[in-house]
Every structure is written in structure tokens, then in C-alpha cells.
Amino acid sequence: MTTSDPASEATGTTSPKGASKTAPKKARKPKAKRAAGKSVKAGKSVRKTAPKAKSTLQGDLASNAVKKPAGKKKAAGSKRPAQTASKGAAARKPARKKVARKPAGRTPAASTKAALPVSPLAPARFPEVADVPGVRMATARAQIKYKTREDMLVVAMPAGTTVAGALTRSRTASAPVEWCRANLSSGEGRVLVSTSGNSNAFTGKAGVETVKLTAAAAAKLAAVRQKDVFIASTGVIGEPMPNEKILETLPKAFDALGQGTFEEAARAIMTTDTFPKASSRVVEIDGSPVVITGIAKGSGMIAPDLATMLSYVFTNASISQSALAALMDLNLRDSFNAITVDSDTSTSDTVLLFATGRDADGNKAPYGQITRPGDPRLRAFRAALAEVMQDLAKQVVRDGEGASKFITVKVTGGESHNSARRIAMAIANSPLVKTAIAGEDANWGRVVMAVGKAGEPAERDKLAISFGGVTVAKAGQAVDGYYETPVAQHLKGQDILIEVDVGVGNGEATVYTCDLTHGYISINADYRS
């Protein structure tokens, strides 16, 4: 259980299927017995993206408005009959077996592995998002691990763009994390390079060299300082990065700047994620339209310790670096630091917030640069930023590896907020609680256990527990005449609420987690294959 102080070190100045199946025998399968109801769309790769927001930024953006399905891409290798055909079929095409398909040094099955089924908690469609003035992006295919999809994201921003960040406190942080930590003090962010498939963590001097080479190449292509380049990587730990592939792909990505969309960007940073994650809001500062749009990736190895995945949030607001860092600090506690999937903190956790300070025509914001986070002009902006960050954090939990239920744990009556938060995390991280929810078992005794193991002040004889608003225990014991049916009905749903009052003080905290199913084991047992 992570018990770190939720206060951020995120100031900018002290930065802290594809299983092979025998081919169906058409002769034995009459047309009349085709499987009914199978969706043709389910296997299609969604390449069309929502239209970009017009430069006028007209209209309010609904918080989770939808434009199109976030459909799954086809399982890699699904177009290769030789990989899915029966032995008899393969015998009829021996020539196919002689073709070398894998580049030297590649890990096996990277391109033939089945796509994971989309989480049942995923939104029906990719959300409607607005483009951010001053932000140009592109995705490219470097084939670091994934052969059949884009795995590199490059974002370029204009001079004067301020940046704030939150980085993992892990003692085995990756080389890209350490690079970002050093660069946050510059206060300016001009380029972001993010890759997936390999975390470049625990790679020693070779990992540091990869980051330096990437930063130097990106800085040259963008004509900016290396300290204005931010780098992030996610994926397998302990494997050297293919520098030559990164350096060969970067120029292609820079040539395509401005052509990428937020959906493509969100997909490019995915690893075991089953759907791309994004959120967007449009507000005004002094009458000028301001966009906040962010993307995130995360599914497993998720536990609060500063930042618990990769997330990039962009805005065209004109805000000083110090004010931007303060705003990030204010919102981390109830967003990225309030989620857990499996209690494991990644080596690569990175949250970056960029503010371009440009209007839709590329000019500097007419209201000048805001330097105080408490400036009244930022009231709507502060609320919108909080919504975007919390929305992204919750989407990460909804994509928890193997998750079938989204769980909100609310603790009241704590000695302090931090005490209540540690109790809530003890409940949210308990394998016994999480498996009980997965099994739709109203076993509130497991919640009692989790409260007790947290090591925080709690009054046993005042303890109260409820599921879905139904009180099951009060004054330290089961409620007289407790009727389990409504609780059992609540647990059959996808959104579960557990509320606990520990009877000590006024501290309260809310955290978000998911259940623990067989799917989590399957995904992680097969992660590197």
C-alpha cells in the first residue's frame, strides 16, 4: 500500500484472438448456421478521428460528448492466413513459412499477439475533444515493440509555452523521468517525445544515452534547446532501447507535425490499455476562449505516488510556470493520486501540463500572462482543469487490467484527510475486498479487515459501513435486520460505492479502484510474450 503524502513535488522549480485457432471448415458449416449477431465492426481498426475543432473555438464542449466509436484495432497478424490456418492449410503453403517476418533481435509474438478485449467499463466512443491552439502533433511507427501500429508521439509547441510536471517517486525511476525532472526547472516546454513498448527503465548508462540522443535529435529538428525537450517512455522494464529506430523515425514524425489528432496520440502511447483516453473542456479567461485537452495511458502498475501513468494535458491559457505548477499541485490529490489498480507504482509515471498562451490565430493571449493561481480570472479554468484531470484518472481505473467493476471508496470520520486517505487506500488495494467485489459477494467483513490493517486511528465501536447507500454495519456491528438483497443487487452493477465512517474526526477522502479478476493474472502472466 502506498502511503505517500499526496502533496506534489510537481513544482516546475523543484521537480521532484490472437491465440491460434484451427481454420473453420466451411464445408461443415452451412450458411444457415452462421453465428448470428457477430459484429463486423468489432474487428475494424478505427482510423477516422473526430473533426478538429475550428480555430474559432465556437460552442461549448460537452464533458463527455461523443463523436465516434473508439473501436479496437484488428489483432496484429489477423491478416496473415499462415498464422491462423490449420496444419493442413499451412502444409499447402510451405513458401509462406520461409519468409522472414521478424527483424533481428525482436521479441517473439509482438506482432501476432491478440488484441486485448476492450474493457467493459470503457466509454462507448472516443470523447469529443477540441484542438489546442499552438499545439501540433504527429504519430509515427518506430516498431520499438509493436510492429503494426504507431508507437511514437511527437508534440511541438510555440516559444513561451510554460510547463509543469509531476513525476514518480519510485527509487528505480526511468531515464526519461530523470531527464524530465531536470528539465522542469527551465520552465519552458517546446517538444514532447513519447514512445510505447519499452519503458527505458533499469537500462543503466545505455538508457541515459538513449534519452540524450533522442533529445539532441528532437532539439535539432525543432530548432530549440535540449532542455526544452521532454521525453517519456512506457512498456517493458530492463530492455535496451533500439536507438537507431528512434532516430530514423523522429524526422518522419516531425515532417508530419500538425497532421496528428488527439485520438491518434492517445492510441500511440498505449501498452496494455484497451481503449484510448482523453478529456476536454472549453472555458473563457477574460472573454477569450481557452481549451484544456488531455490524454492518458494506464491500465496496470497503477498506484498513487505522485503520478501513476503517463498523462499529457495541453491548454492555450497564458499562465506563468509557477502558477501552472501550483494549479497542478492542487489537482493531483483528487485525480492521479486518488486512483489504484494493483498497488504497484510504475518506474515511468509522468504527468505534464503545457500552456501555450496562444489564441486561435496564433497570437499571444490578449489578457497577458496570469501569474497567480488564485487570480479570479482563473476560476472557470481551475474547475475545468480539475474535471479534465479527474476524468483522465478515472478512465485509467476503468481500463484496469481485467477490470469488470469501477469502485469508489469514500472514507469519512478520519483523524485527517491523509489518515482517511490511507484507510481508503487500504480498502481499495485489498485483494480480498477486490476479489469479493469481482464475485459480487457482499462480504463487508473484508472491509472491516482492511480498515484495521491501515494502522490509522479508527473507533471500532463507531465504525459504519455501507454498500451502494445501504448501511450494512453500524456502531461496530451488523445492522439489526440487515437484508442483503439490495446490496447484492448493487454489486451486480458496474459502478460500486463503498462508504466507511471510522468515527474519529472530520477527515475524509475518496479514492477510485477496480475489482480483481482472473483477467489481471492472464494479462500480466503473458505481458512480455
Side-chain angles (χ1 to χ4, degrees):
M1 176 183 71
T2 300
T3 59
S4 63
D5 189 322
S8 169
E9 67 175 358
T11 66
T13 55
T14 55
S15 64
K17 241 178 179 165
S20 296
K21 296 181 182 179
T22 302
K25 297 180 180 180
K26 295 182 180 178
R28 295 188 181 185
K29 199 167 187 178
K31 290 182 180 179
K33 291 193 176 183
R34 282 183 184 170
K38 287 201 172 185
S39 173
V40 175
K41 295 180 181 178
K44 289 186 177 179
S45 173
V46 177
R47 295 301 299 158
K48 290 195 271 183
T49 57
K52 294 184 179 180
K54 301 299 181 183
S55 61
T56 57
L57 302 178
Q58 292 178 348
D60 293 331
L61 186 66
S63 62
N64 278 307
V66 295
K67 276 196 176 180
K68 56 180 221 49
K72 293 186 295 182
K73 291 179 182 283
K74 279 190 178 180
S78 60
K79 292 184 179 180
R80 298 181 182 176
Q83 292 174 343
T84 56
S86 66
K87 290 182 180 180
R92 290 193 292 273
K93 296 183 179 181
R96 295 291 297 256
K97 293 185 176 182
K98 295 181 181 180
V99 179
R101 296 279 182 186
K102 295 182 289 185
R106 296 287 298 168
T107 54
S111 63
T112 60
K113 192 173 179 180
L116 295 169
V118 174
S119 168
L121 307 176
R125 300 171 184 272
F126 189 78
E128 181 177 351
V129 297
D131 284 339
V132 179
V135 173
R136 295 179 299 142
M137 58 180 60
T139 59
R141 191 172 300 184
Q143 295 190 328
I144 294 169
K145 177 182 178 183
Y146 308 112
K147 293 182 179 180
T148 58
R149 70 166 177 84
E150 282 65 32
D151 56 358
M152 176 184 285
L153 166 66
V154 171
V155 184
M157 290 151 286
T161 296
T162 54
V163 60
L167 303 160
T168 184
R169 285 194 181 116
S170 170
R171 296 295 185 180
T172 53
S174 69
V177 164
E178 296 300 342
W179 176 268
C180 289
R181 199 188 306 281
N183 282 6
L184 279 171
S185 60
S186 77
E188 187 168 354
R190 299 292 307 281
V191 175
L192 168 66
V193 178
S194 183
T195 58
S196 61
N198 185 322
S199 69
N200 194 15
F202 208 68
T203 47
K205 293 181 179 179
V208 174
E209 183 64 16
T210 295
V211 171
K212 289 181 177 179
L213 288 172
T214 303
K220 184 175 181 180
L221 288 164
V224 301
R225 303 175 301 179
Q226 290 188 34
K227 65 180 180 179
D228 296 335
V229 176
F230 288 79
I231 297 172
S233 297
T234 179
V236 177
I237 294 172
E239 294 185 1
M241 289 284 270
N243 294 341
E244 68 287 350
K245 292 184 177 181
I246 294 173
L247 297 180
E248 286 174 3
T249 309
L250 270 175
K252 300 174 186 176
F254 272 89
D255 285 344
L257 278 173
Q259 299 177 25
T261 66
F262 274 104
E263 181 173 358
E264 291 170 344
R267 290 185 181 280
I269 63 176
M270 290 167 51
T271 52
T272 57
D273 305 59
T274 67
F275 65 89
K277 304 163 186 66
S279 186
S280 192
R281 302 290 187 277
V282 175
V283 294
E284 287 187 354
I285 295 179
D286 247 11
S288 296
V290 171
V291 178
I292 306 172
T293 298
I295 59 174
K297 68 82 52 184
S299 184
M301 202 182 286
I302 302 296
D305 200 356
L306 231 305
T308 51
M309 72 285 105
L310 300 185
S311 182
Y312 312 125
V313 181
F314 306 90
T315 179
N316 65 312
S318 181
I319 304 175
S320 69
Q321 190 277 333
S322 60
L324 198 66
L327 291 172
M328 171 170 276
D329 267 355
L330 291 171
N331 289 298
L332 279 173
R333 190 190 80 174
D334 296 324
S335 59
F336 299 126
N337 272 349
I339 60 174
T340 180
V341 168
D342 48 22
S343 81
D344 287 334
T345 297
S346 171
T347 60
S348 306
D349 296 340
T350 301
V351 176
L352 296 172
L353 172 59
F354 298 91
T356 67
R358 302 299 175 114
D359 64 16
D361 296 320
N363 301 314
K364 290 185 177 181
Y367 50 84
Q369 190 177 73
I370 296 176
T371 59
R372 292 189 303 110
D375 192 310
R377 292 176 294 174
L378 288 178
R379 186 175 291 111
F381 179 88
R382 286 193 298 268
L385 179 62
E387 290 176 4
V388 167
M389 290 176 66
Q390 190 170 91
D391 185 9
L392 291 172
K394 288 181 178 180
Q395 287 186 56
V396 169
V397 173
R398 289 187 176 278
D399 202 12
E401 290 170 340
S404 66
K405 298 180 187 296
F406 179 87
I407 307 170
T408 299
V409 180
K410 183 176 182 179
V411 172
T412 57
E415 184 179 61
S416 64
H417 164 77
N418 286 346
S419 179
R421 180 180 179 277
R422 284 189 276 269
I423 294 171
M425 279 295 168
I427 298 169
N429 281 325
S430 167
L432 288 179
V433 172
K434 291 159 74 73
T435 51
I437 299 300
E440 300 176 353
D441 178 13
N443 189 345
W444 54 269
R446 293 183 174 182
V447 177
V448 174
M449 172 279 301
V451 171
K453 78 171 184 176
E456 292 297 319
E459 187 63 50
R460 184 195 62 193
D461 294 336
K462 292 182 179 179
L463 194 67
I465 301 171
S466 68
F467 285 84
V470 179
T471 302
V472 299
K474 191 173 183 180
Q477 59 185 344
V479 171
D480 287 340
Y482 164 55
Y483 186 49
E484 193 169 295
T485 299
V487 175
Q489 188 62 37
H490 176 67
L491 293 180
K492 291 182 183 298
Q494 289 186 335
D495 290 278
I496 310 301
L497 173 63
I498 301 175
E499 295 174 289
V500 178
D501 191 291
V502 296
V504 174
N506 298 317
E508 59 180 69
T510 301
V511 301
Y512 309 96
T513 189
C514 57
D515 56 342
L516 181 59
T517 70
H518 292 288
Y520 182 86
I521 297 172
S522 300
I523 292 168
N524 284 285
D526 193 37
Y527 181 60
R528 293 200 306 157
S529 63

